[in-house]
Amino acid sequence: MATASPGRPPVFAIAGLQGTGKSTLSAQLAKAGGARGLNIVVLSIDDFYLTRRERLALARQVHPLLATRGPPGTHDVGLAVRTVDALRRMRRGSVACLPRFDKISDRRLPPSRWRPVRSKPDLIIFEGWFLKVPPESERALRRPLNALERTEDRDGVWRRYCNEALKDYAPLWRRFDRLLFLQGPGFEIVPSWRWQQEQTLQAAHPGRSAMTRAQVERFVLFFERVSRQALRCLPAIADETLRIDARRRIRR
Protein backbone atom coordinates (compact mmCIF):
# COMPACT_ATOMS: atom_id res chain seq x y z
CA MET A 1 0.00 0.00 0.00
CA ALA A 2 1.26 3.47 -0.90
CA THR A 3 1.47 6.30 1.61
CA ALA A 4 0.40 9.83 0.73
CA SER A 5 3.23 12.37 0.68
CA PRO A 6 3.04 15.13 3.30
CA GLY A 7 0.91 18.03 2.05
CA ARG A 8 -0.56 16.00 -0.81
CA PRO A 9 -4.16 14.74 -0.78
CA PRO A 10 -4.49 10.96 -0.44
CA VAL A 11 -6.03 8.90 -3.24
CA PHE A 12 -8.75 6.51 -2.11
CA ALA A 13 -9.55 3.92 -4.78
CA ILE A 14 -12.85 2.04 -5.05
CA ALA A 15 -12.95 -1.10 -7.21
CA GLY A 16 -15.90 -3.29 -8.09
CA LEU A 17 -17.51 -4.93 -11.08
CA GLN A 18 -19.99 -3.06 -13.25
CA GLY A 19 -23.11 -2.09 -11.34
CA THR A 20 -21.78 -2.66 -7.82
CA GLY A 21 -22.38 0.97 -6.88
CA LYS A 22 -18.91 2.48 -7.14
CA SER A 23 -20.11 5.74 -8.66
CA THR A 24 -23.00 6.03 -6.18
CA LEU A 25 -20.72 5.42 -3.20
CA SER A 26 -18.14 7.88 -4.54
CA ALA A 27 -20.79 10.59 -4.96
CA GLN A 28 -22.15 9.92 -1.48
CA LEU A 29 -18.68 10.20 0.06
CA ALA A 30 -18.01 13.45 -1.81
CA LYS A 31 -21.35 14.89 -0.66
CA ALA A 32 -20.77 13.84 2.95
CA GLY A 33 -17.28 15.33 2.87
CA GLY A 34 -18.59 18.56 1.38
CA ALA A 35 -21.07 18.88 4.22
CA ARG A 36 -18.08 18.79 6.57
CA GLY A 37 -16.13 21.39 4.65
CA LEU A 38 -13.91 18.96 2.74
CA ASN A 39 -13.14 19.31 -0.95
CA ILE A 40 -13.37 15.78 -2.39
CA VAL A 41 -12.71 15.21 -6.09
CA VAL A 42 -14.04 12.06 -7.75
CA LEU A 43 -12.39 10.49 -10.79
CA SER A 44 -13.39 7.37 -12.73
CA ILE A 45 -11.38 5.11 -14.97
CA ASP A 46 -14.20 5.79 -17.48
CA ASP A 47 -13.01 9.41 -17.74
CA PHE A 48 -9.85 8.19 -19.44
CA TYR A 49 -10.97 6.03 -22.35
CA LEU A 50 -8.88 6.30 -25.46
CA THR A 51 -10.55 8.38 -28.15
CA ARG A 52 -12.57 6.54 -30.76
CA ARG A 53 -9.90 7.32 -33.35
CA GLU A 54 -7.21 5.78 -31.16
CA ARG A 55 -9.28 2.66 -30.53
CA LEU A 56 -10.04 2.25 -34.22
CA ALA A 57 -6.31 2.42 -34.90
CA LEU A 58 -5.76 -0.39 -32.35
CA ALA A 59 -8.56 -2.34 -34.02
CA ARG A 60 -6.75 -2.14 -37.35
CA GLN A 61 -3.28 -2.80 -35.99
CA VAL A 62 -3.97 -5.42 -33.29
CA HIS A 63 -7.51 -6.82 -33.19
CA PRO A 64 -11.01 -5.59 -34.19
CA LEU A 65 -12.40 -6.07 -30.65
CA LEU A 66 -10.17 -3.24 -29.40
CA ALA A 67 -12.54 -0.76 -31.03
CA THR A 68 -14.86 -1.34 -28.04
CA ARG A 69 -14.03 0.82 -25.04
CA GLY A 70 -13.66 -0.49 -21.51
CA PRO A 71 -11.32 -3.49 -21.31
CA PRO A 72 -7.69 -3.05 -20.23
CA GLY A 73 -5.69 -1.47 -23.03
CA THR A 74 -8.41 0.98 -24.06
CA HIS A 75 -7.54 3.76 -21.60
CA ASP A 76 -5.10 6.66 -21.71
CA VAL A 77 -3.09 5.74 -18.61
CA GLY A 78 -0.73 8.67 -19.08
CA LEU A 79 -3.63 11.13 -19.01
CA ALA A 80 -4.98 9.52 -15.84
CA VAL A 81 -1.58 9.76 -14.14
CA ARG A 82 -1.13 13.39 -15.19
CA THR A 83 -4.59 14.27 -13.92
CA VAL A 84 -4.01 12.71 -10.49
CA ASP A 85 -0.59 14.34 -10.23
CA ALA A 86 -1.98 17.74 -11.22
CA LEU A 87 -4.59 17.51 -8.47
CA ARG A 88 -2.02 16.49 -5.88
CA ARG A 89 0.38 19.32 -6.86
CA MET A 90 -2.21 22.10 -6.75
CA ARG A 91 -1.28 25.36 -5.03
CA ARG A 92 -3.29 28.41 -4.11
CA GLY A 93 -4.63 30.06 -7.26
CA SER A 94 -3.94 27.09 -9.54
CA VAL A 95 -6.54 25.23 -11.59
CA ALA A 96 -6.66 21.57 -12.61
CA CYS A 97 -9.05 20.29 -15.27
CA LEU A 98 -10.73 16.87 -15.19
CA PRO A 99 -11.24 15.04 -18.51
CA ARG A 100 -14.79 14.06 -19.43
CA PHE A 101 -15.94 11.25 -21.70
CA ASP A 102 -19.41 11.19 -23.26
CA LYS A 103 -20.48 7.52 -23.33
CA ILE A 104 -23.55 8.18 -25.46
CA SER A 105 -21.54 9.72 -28.32
CA ASP A 106 -18.48 7.56 -27.51
CA ARG A 107 -16.06 10.47 -27.50
CA ARG A 108 -13.82 12.37 -25.15
CA LEU A 109 -15.05 15.91 -24.77
CA PRO A 110 -12.66 18.70 -25.84
CA PRO A 111 -10.52 20.27 -23.06
CA SER A 112 -12.69 23.41 -23.19
CA ARG A 113 -15.49 21.28 -21.67
CA TRP A 114 -13.42 19.56 -18.98
CA ARG A 115 -14.43 20.28 -15.38
CA PRO A 116 -12.16 22.78 -13.63
CA VAL A 117 -11.02 22.25 -10.04
CA ARG A 118 -10.08 25.60 -8.50
CA SER A 119 -8.98 24.58 -5.02
CA LYS A 120 -6.71 21.83 -3.81
CA PRO A 121 -8.67 18.71 -2.87
CA ASP A 122 -8.52 17.23 0.59
CA LEU A 123 -9.15 13.78 -0.85
CA ILE A 124 -9.20 12.21 -4.32
CA ILE A 125 -11.52 9.27 -4.93
CA PHE A 126 -10.69 7.13 -7.96
CA GLU A 127 -13.21 4.45 -8.95
CA GLY A 128 -13.03 1.73 -11.57
CA TRP A 129 -13.97 -1.85 -12.23
CA PHE A 130 -10.52 -3.46 -12.58
CA LEU A 131 -8.26 -1.35 -10.37
CA LYS A 132 -5.11 -3.27 -9.37
CA VAL A 133 -6.24 -6.51 -11.04
CA PRO A 134 -3.14 -8.58 -11.92
CA PRO A 135 -2.67 -10.37 -15.27
CA GLU A 136 -3.62 -14.02 -15.71
CA SER A 137 -1.17 -16.75 -16.58
CA GLU A 138 -0.60 -17.75 -20.19
CA ARG A 139 -2.14 -21.11 -19.45
CA ALA A 140 -5.39 -19.49 -18.28
CA LEU A 141 -5.64 -17.55 -21.55
CA ARG A 142 -5.54 -20.58 -23.83
CA ARG A 143 -9.17 -21.64 -23.52
CA PRO A 144 -11.94 -19.23 -24.63
CA LEU A 145 -14.14 -18.16 -21.72
CA ASN A 146 -17.38 -17.16 -23.44
CA ALA A 147 -19.13 -16.87 -26.81
CA LEU A 148 -17.33 -13.64 -27.67
CA GLU A 149 -13.91 -15.22 -27.26
CA ARG A 150 -14.94 -18.42 -29.04
CA THR A 151 -16.30 -16.69 -32.14
CA GLU A 152 -14.37 -13.40 -32.40
CA ASP A 153 -11.06 -14.14 -30.64
CA ARG A 154 -10.38 -17.71 -31.64
CA ASP A 155 -6.61 -17.23 -31.74
CA GLY A 156 -6.54 -15.36 -28.41
CA VAL A 157 -4.87 -12.20 -29.75
CA TRP A 158 -7.39 -9.83 -28.14
CA ARG A 159 -7.45 -11.42 -24.69
CA ARG A 160 -3.67 -11.68 -24.60
CA TYR A 161 -3.35 -8.01 -25.55
CA CYS A 162 -5.77 -6.96 -22.77
CA ASN A 163 -4.04 -9.23 -20.27
CA GLU A 164 -0.60 -7.81 -21.10
CA ALA A 165 -2.02 -4.26 -20.98
CA LEU A 166 -2.87 -4.69 -17.30
CA LYS A 167 0.83 -4.18 -16.58
CA ASP A 168 0.69 -0.74 -18.21
CA TYR A 169 -1.63 0.54 -15.47
CA ALA A 170 0.99 0.07 -12.73
CA PRO A 171 2.01 3.78 -12.67
CA LEU A 172 -1.62 4.68 -11.94
CA TRP A 173 -2.09 1.94 -9.35
CA ARG A 174 1.01 3.17 -7.49
CA ARG A 175 -0.74 6.48 -6.86
CA PHE A 176 -3.48 4.82 -4.81
CA ASP A 177 -3.03 5.10 -1.05
CA ARG A 178 -5.89 2.75 -0.14
CA LEU A 179 -8.12 0.39 -2.10
CA LEU A 180 -11.68 -0.65 -1.24
CA PHE A 181 -13.17 -3.59 -3.15
CA LEU A 182 -16.95 -3.90 -3.47
CA GLN A 183 -17.33 -7.64 -3.97
CA GLY A 184 -20.61 -8.59 -5.63
CA PRO A 185 -22.15 -12.07 -5.54
CA GLY A 186 -20.54 -13.08 -8.85
CA PHE A 187 -20.20 -12.16 -12.49
CA GLU A 188 -23.61 -13.68 -13.30
CA ILE A 189 -25.39 -10.63 -11.83
CA VAL A 190 -23.41 -8.14 -13.95
CA PRO A 191 -25.62 -8.24 -17.10
CA SER A 192 -28.68 -7.24 -15.07
CA TRP A 193 -26.82 -4.55 -13.17
CA ARG A 194 -25.30 -3.20 -16.40
CA TRP A 195 -28.74 -3.04 -18.01
CA GLN A 196 -29.99 -1.01 -15.04
CA GLN A 197 -27.11 1.40 -15.62
CA GLU A 198 -27.99 1.67 -19.29
CA GLN A 199 -31.62 2.46 -18.50
CA THR A 200 -30.52 5.19 -16.10
CA LEU A 201 -28.22 6.63 -18.76
CA GLN A 202 -31.00 6.60 -21.35
CA ALA A 203 -33.42 8.31 -18.93
CA ALA A 204 -30.87 11.06 -18.33
CA HIS A 205 -30.39 11.57 -22.09
CA PRO A 206 -33.79 11.07 -23.77
CA GLY A 207 -33.80 10.98 -27.54
CA ARG A 208 -30.18 9.89 -27.82
CA SER A 209 -29.23 6.47 -29.12
CA ALA A 210 -28.03 3.93 -26.58
CA MET A 211 -27.63 0.16 -26.23
CA THR A 212 -30.47 -2.32 -26.35
CA ARG A 213 -30.74 -5.19 -23.83
CA ALA A 214 -29.22 -7.58 -26.38
CA GLN A 215 -26.32 -5.21 -26.98
CA VAL A 216 -25.72 -4.93 -23.24
CA GLU A 217 -25.68 -8.74 -22.94
CA ARG A 218 -22.94 -8.86 -25.59
CA PHE A 219 -21.10 -5.84 -24.18
CA VAL A 220 -20.55 -7.40 -20.75
CA LEU A 221 -18.80 -10.36 -22.38
CA PHE A 222 -15.89 -8.00 -23.11
CA PHE A 223 -15.37 -7.71 -19.34
CA GLU A 224 -16.01 -11.24 -18.13
CA ARG A 225 -12.46 -12.55 -18.10
CA VAL A 226 -10.90 -9.67 -16.17
CA SER A 227 -13.98 -9.44 -13.94
CA ARG A 228 -13.57 -13.04 -12.85
CA GLN A 229 -9.89 -12.40 -12.25
CA ALA A 230 -10.88 -9.43 -10.06
CA LEU A 231 -13.23 -11.61 -8.01
CA ARG A 232 -10.43 -14.13 -7.49
CA CYS A 233 -7.62 -11.72 -6.65
CA LEU A 234 -8.85 -8.40 -5.28
CA PRO A 235 -10.02 -9.61 -1.85
CA ALA A 236 -6.37 -10.40 -1.08
CA ILE A 237 -5.05 -7.19 -2.69
CA ALA A 238 -7.50 -4.59 -1.40
CA ASP A 239 -7.04 -2.90 1.97
CA GLU A 240 -10.73 -3.50 2.68
CA THR A 241 -13.39 -5.69 1.01
CA LEU A 242 -17.13 -5.20 1.39
CA ARG A 243 -19.30 -8.10 0.27
CA ILE A 244 -22.62 -7.05 -1.24
CA ASP A 245 -25.62 -9.11 -2.30
CA ALA A 246 -27.74 -8.98 -5.46
CA ARG A 247 -29.68 -6.00 -4.02
CA ARG A 248 -26.40 -4.19 -3.30
CA ARG A 249 -26.79 -4.58 0.45
CA ILE A 250 -23.59 -4.91 2.46
CA ARG A 251 -23.26 -8.45 3.81
CA ARG A 252 -19.93 -8.00 5.57
Side-chain angles (χ1 to χ4, degrees), residues 147-164:
L148 180 75
E149 292 186 359
R150 285 192 297 272
T151 60
E152 300 184 51
D153 187 39
R154 294 177 181 176
D155 54 6
V157 170
W158 173 73
R159 56 185 179 268
R160 285 182 172 84
Y161 181 89
C162 294
N163 189 65
E164 187 67 20

Side-chain angles (χ1 to χ4, degrees), residues 90-227:
M90 287 186 70
R91 298 289 185 267
R92 185 183 298 275
S94 63
V95 177
C97 292
L98 309 184
R100 296 174 59 200
F101 194 94
D102 185 346
K103 293 182 180 179
I104 294 288
S105 62
D106 193 20
R107 68 187 184 98
R108 184 188 300 157
L109 297 181
S112 61
R113 296 181 60 186
W114 292 6
R115 182 165 70 89
V117 176
R118 303 186 186 281
S119 59
K120 184 176 181 177
D122 298 294
L123 174 68
I124 300 167
I125 296 176
F126 198 110
E127 59 98 350
W129 69 277
F130 67 99
L131 308 184
K132 287 199 173 185
V133 174
E136 289 186 278
S137 67
E138 170 60 28
R139 180 178 180 180
L141 297 170
R142 293 174 186 169
R143 180 177 298 178
L145 184 66
N146 55 34
L148 180 75
E149 292 186 359
R150 285 192 297 272
T151 60
E152 300 184 51
D153 187 39
R154 294 177 181 176
D155 54 6
V157 170
W158 173 73
R159 56 185 179 268
R160 285 182 172 84
Y161 181 89
C162 294
N163 189 65
E164 187 67 20
L166 283 167
K167 301 175 184 178
D168 299 334
Y169 293 77
L172 179 59
W173 302 164
R174 286 196 293 269
R175 282 156 171 80
F176 299 162
D177 298 298
R178 292 191 67 82
L179 175 65
L180 168 68
F181 178 44
L182 301 178
Q183 184 180 16
F187 182 79
E188 291 73 20
I189 194 68
V190 170
S192 295
W193 280 353
R194 183 62 184 81
W195 174 238
Q196 292 172 6
Q197 289 181 315
E198 189 66 23
Q199 290 177 302
T200 300
L201 186 63
Q202 292 178 25
H205 302 277
R208 301 179 69 178
S209 61
M211 286 192 287
T212 64
R213 181 64 186 262
Q215 288 173 325
V216 167
E217 295 281 350
R218 179 180 184 274
F219 183 62
V220 297
L221 297 180
F222 283 79
F223 304 88
E224 182 173 1
R225 178 174 291 277
V226 180
S227 293

